[in-house]
Structures are given as C-alpha cells and as structure tokens.
Amino acid sequence: MKTLIKNIQQIVGVSEESKCTMKKGNEMNEISIINDGWILIEDDVIVDFGNMETWKGVDDWNKTNIIDANNGTILPAWCDSHTHIVYAGTRELEFLDRINGLSYEEIAKNGGGILNSAKLLSQTDQNVLYHQAAKRLDKLIKLGTGAIEIKSGYGLDTKNEIKMLKVIQELKHNFPIPIKATFLGAHAVPKDITQEKYVSTIINEMIPEVAKQNLADYIDVFCDKGFFTDYETEKILECGIKHGLKPKIHANELDFSGGIQVGVKMNALSVDHLEFTGEKEIALLNNSNTIPTLLPGTAHFLDLKYPPARLMIDSGLGVAIATDYNPGSCPSGDMGKIISLACVKMKITPTEAINGATINGAFAMEVNKLLGNIKKGKKANLIITEEIPSINYIPYSMGENNIAKVIINGKIYHDSETNY
Ligand code: NIG
Ligand code: FE
C-alpha cells in the first residue's frame, strides 16, 4: 500500500546523500529543508519526496492513502537514546527534599534515590510493571518519539534485573518502534551487600544470565562519585563485551569520575550526561568513536551545571540529545521540552538541538540505518507539526505541544484532532 503526505510547508532533515553520517562540529548547525513538499511512502518505507514542482502524481489513487499535513512541518521522529522508562512508583517526596536543600547524593546515601525505586520495583510484578511502562511509551510516541533505548537498573539483583529486561523485551514485541535494551545492573549498590560483592555478582552472575537469555543489546554502568569507580566500570564493561554487550555508559554527571576516559578506552558507543567535562575529556572524545550524549532535562531537574555543549560542538564533536526519562532525575520523556532546554541552557541552536535529537540520537542507539532523517529507503517514522513559522518555533514555544500527527511505519499512530 502507498501513502502520500501532501500540503507540507517544510520537510526538515532530508538527506539525498548515499551515505548517512553523524553530524559533527559545524555540520550540526546544518539541516536540509524542502519547502512546499510531498512525501511518498510504500508500506513502512519512504520511497520518494520533493518539492511540489517535482510531483509526478500517483499511479493508482484507489491504492493510495492520503495524509493531509495541513501546511504543517515534517520532521524525522525523535530518537531518544537514553531512558529508564520501566519503573514502579514515583519519587516526588525526594523532589521536596531537594527543594528543601538535600542533594541527589545525600538522598542516595540515606537509602532514597535509586534504592527507593528498587524497593518499589521488587514489590511490583512483571505484568503490572509492563502496563505502567507501556502507558508511558504510548505517551512518548504520541509526543513524537520514533525510536527509544530503555535501561534496566532498578532491579539490583538477578531476578529483578531480568524481570525489568523481560518487560523491555515485551515492549519490543508489542510496540511498532525500534527499542534497544540496556543492562544497567551497576546502577547502585543494594544496602545488604558490599560494593565488592555486588560488582562480582554483576560479573559472575548477572551478565552471563542476561546474555544467556539474550535480553540486552548494551551494557551500562553509573560511573560516578558515590556509585561505581572507573576501575569497577572497566571490569564490568570488559565482562559485558565478552558476552556481546556493547558499552553505553553514565559518566561524569556528579564529578570528574574518569567515566569519559574509561568509556573511550572501552570503545563505548556513547558516554552520557557529561556535566563534568573539561578540555582533556573533549580532546579524548574527539579522538574516538564514542558519542557524547547530553541529557539537559537531568541537569535542569537536579539543578546541576549543564554539560559544555557549546565547547564540545565548537571543538568538532557531534553530540546526541536525549531525555534520561526516569523517576528520580528527569521525570519527563518529552523530547520537545528537552530540546528547548538544550537551546536555552547550553546555548545551542534549534538546528543543532534537532540534529542531536534525531540523526545523532539514531547513531547513539545504532538505528541510523533505519531512522534519524528523511531519506529514501528509511522507515517512515515522522512528526507532522501544526502550522509553525519555522523550526526555531519548536524550542521557542517552550515545550508547547505543536505536534498534529505522528506517523509510525507509514501509518498514523496519533492524530491530535481525533486524539487517537
Ligand atoms: O540517569 N544517573 C543515574 N541514573 C539516573 C537516575 C536514576 C534515578 O535517580 O532513579 C540518571 O540520572
Ligand atoms: Fe540515565
């Protein structure tokens, strides 16, 4: 079946090149746009697009669905390469504690934080957990997310980590967007076990079991002050790699943790957070294939300093932007809101933020062959906005939802008019 999208004011993020590459340095501020456009989709794939002057008509109108963009703008769907959307319960009491002066680390030391979520998760059965996560994911797709990475890390023992990963596996089966699963056993050390013993449990018990059941694509470690050291991170990643899991890690959110160094050394796909990043770390990243992924929603919500995105891009790096959606440090998965924060707080342009949240995000979760831009042969996962003056309006409107329709695999997943 063919689908034609017509009446498009702008098609944003098109690529006519044969190769699809990440946007780095100055390229991050470039995005190709076609005005007054049309897009033709066959089944779930973009087969052609162009300006109305190039429109050749369709062979058989009876066999073509028409989607009217009503003079809206079309963008590739967001690629959110870092989330923790499988969790039980919420943590708004800690939000109050932080407002009253406690830090994220102090809350964690008192058994709150990740350990609080782990306790709630251990009391929640897989089915309930699945339904809570599925509800969140459905909402995110309606906000334009067309590919997502989801981490475990609130289980903190083999049984509950596997339970989380099985929920992610079920989401993969039941939802129409690409989902990547990351094993994050090394998220925090449970109360009843020493740090050393827990690291050895991760290496000797959890990773082999996760790999045996084929439940994860990536391995993650929270390499930061008060959580896991760079040495422990290296040992855990080494074991993950041996079991076929590529590293994609939390680094330098709370301090200069050595996380960027160990990520680069272990050839991690991405190092994420990076609030504490200096020139030395930027130089290292520039000599590597590791993608710096920035999560401005977390810096906002925990009131941290922001990662030096401007310096990174000006030094030639390509950055990805993601939400970090989780119950503790960023209870939002709205990529529109996150790119607005990225622009205002990290002084990056709307074009840089959109590239970070689409094509570069696609690379940071290895879905770049399928998604991230509007290219012949790629999957038709697209956002159709209401009529907007320019793409700058998206972050300018500060998280206002200007999405009219979301197309997934060439079909309408969400239409704001019918609310389905
Ligand atoms: O990415 N930094 C580590 N993990 C999460 C927070 C998890 C939580 O507080 O529940 C993050 O910010
Ligand atoms: Fe995270």
Side-chain angles (χ1 to χ4, degrees):
M1 192 69 186
K2 287 189 176 168
T3 301
L4 169 71
I5 312 183
K6 60 170 197 172
N7 291 333
I8 310 169
Q9 189 180 58
Q10 297 201 308
I11 313 177
V12 175
V14 299
S15 167
E16 315 252 12
E17 286 152 32
S18 56
K19 244 183 99 199
C20 174
T21 51
M22 242 188 87
K23 301 247 182 184
K24 293 186 180 170
N26 294 337
E27 293 159 3
M28 279 204 74
N29 205 23
E30 293 163 8
I31 198 156
S32 297
I33 294 180
I34 292 177
N35 290 312
D36 193 18
W38 56 275
I39 297 178
L40 190 65
I41 297 164
E42 199 166 329
D43 299 323
D44 58 343
V45 173
I46 299 167
V47 289
D48 210 355
F49 53 81
N51 168 270
M52 276 321 283
E53 277 170 20
T54 66
W55 170 237
K56 303 177 260 331
V58 292
D59 316 332
D60 187 347
W61 286 102
N62 291 328
K63 288 193 185 139
T64 307
N65 292 322
I66 308 288
I67 296 176
D68 193 336
N70 293 317
N71 220 26
T73 289
I74 296 204
L75 301 146
W78 310 123
C79 294
D80 189 353
S81 63
H82 182 138
T83 81
H84 309 244
I85 66 163
V86 178
Y87 60 82
T90 50
R91 307 223 303 263
E92 64 279 2
L93 290 179
E94 289 172 18
F95 176 57
L96 286 186
D97 288 343
R98 276 206 316 281
I99 290 170
N100 288 325
L102 282 183
S103 72
Y104 182 76
E105 291 135 289
E106 283 162 340
I107 291 169
K109 269 200 204 111
N110 296 337
I114 295 165
L115 295 186
N116 188 355
S117 287
K119 190 169 152 211
L120 293 168
L121 187 127
S122 72
Q123 297 160 348
T124 308
D125 79 40
Q126 193 177 315
N127 197 28
V128 175
L129 207 52
Y130 170 80
H131 285 288
Q132 292 178 358
K135 200 165 149 199
R136 284 179 204 122
L137 183 55
D138 175 58
K139 269 194 195 164
L140 297 185
I141 300 173
K142 290 173 176 160
L143 289 168
T145 295
I148 195 167
E149 181 260 14
I150 311 172
K151 299 172 194 297
S152 71
Y154 294 121
L156 308 184
D157 61 34
T158 308
K159 182 176 127 218
N160 283 295
E161 283 295 313
I162 297 282
K163 179 166 95 182
M164 285 189 81
L165 290 167
K166 285 199 167 151
V167 168
I168 303 173
Q169 190 181 48
E170 220 179 322
L171 294 169
K172 281 192 188 192
H173 280 142
N174 296 346
F175 278 81
I177 65 167
I179 297 176
K180 292 290 174 101
T182 300
F183 169 62
L184 175 57
H187 200 190
V189 179
K191 263 210 279 317
D192 50 350
I193 181 171
T194 65
Q195 178 104 9
E196 209 186 342
K197 180 89 192 15
Y198 188 55
V199 171
S200 116
T201 307
I202 293 172
I203 291 175
N204 298 313
E205 196 179 303
M206 292 187 180
I207 295 175
E209 191 55 33
V210 168
K212 193 172 114 202
Q213 296 196 40
N214 198 15
L215 288 171
D217 303 293
Y218 304 118
I219 174 125
D220 194 345
V221 177
F222 187 7
C223 181
D224 229 315
K225 188 172 78 183
F227 291 85
F228 294 87
T229 66
D230 49 354
Y231 176 76
E232 290 162 341
T233 303
E234 184 170 336
K235 294 291 147 216
I236 294 167
L237 297 186
E238 229 167 46
C239 174
I241 293 167
K242 235 179 36 212
H243 285 84
L245 305 174
K246 218 183 241 187
K248 187 169 161 58
I249 68 169
H250 282 73
N252 298 40
E253 174 185 359
L254 307 171
D255 203 355
F256 286 96
S257 63
I260 297 176
Q261 280 80 354
V262 72
V264 167
K265 180 175 172 193
M266 305 307 282
N267 202 17
L269 174 60
S270 70
V271 283
D272 303 21
H273 278 290
L274 317 187
E275 282 77 0
F276 288 81
T277 305
E279 281 178 11
K280 206 170 69 192
E281 285 80 10
I282 292 181
L284 262 179
L285 286 165
N286 256 314
N287 279 319
S288 78
N289 293 319
T290 297
I291 302 169
T293 297
L294 311 181
L295 313 165
T298 305
H300 163 71
F301 198 70
L302 296 186
D303 200 18
L304 305 171
K305 64 174 182 173
Y306 283 76
R310 192 63 276 146
L311 219 61
M312 289 177 178
I313 297 172
D314 292 344
S315 79
L317 283 172
V319 305
I321 308 279
T323 64
D324 197 20
Y325 189 2
N326 75 77
S329 68
C330 184
S332 169
D334 182 345
M335 286 290 271
K337 237 181 240 154
I338 298 299
I339 64 165
S340 186
L341 275 176
C343 296
V344 175
K345 303 306 280 192
M346 304 197 296
K347 300 285 177 278
I348 69 174
T349 67
T351 299
E352 288 170 332
I354 289 169
N355 277 322
T358 54
I359 187 66
N360 288 1
F363 274 90
M365 56 190 290
E366 297 178 300
V367 294
N368 48 290
K369 292 213 169 89
L370 291 177
L371 294 168
N373 56 11
I374 295 176
K375 192 174 186 318
K376 285 182 202 169
K378 282 206 176 180
K379 242 186 207 309
N381 286 10
L382 307 166
I383 294 169
I384 307 181
T385 72
E386 292 164 359
E387 187 168 350
I388 55 172
S390 76
I391 53 167
N392 298 327
Y393 185 84
I394 299 170
Y396 158 85
S397 59
M398 256 183 95
E400 169 193 312
N401 185 357
N402 21 60
I403 293 177
K405 291 184 180 70
V406 176
I407 310 292
I408 300 293
N409 295 331
K411 294 190 196 70
I412 296 178
Y413 185 93
H414 169 66
D415 185 335
S416 64
E417 268 176 28
T418 55
N419 206 13
Y420 114 93

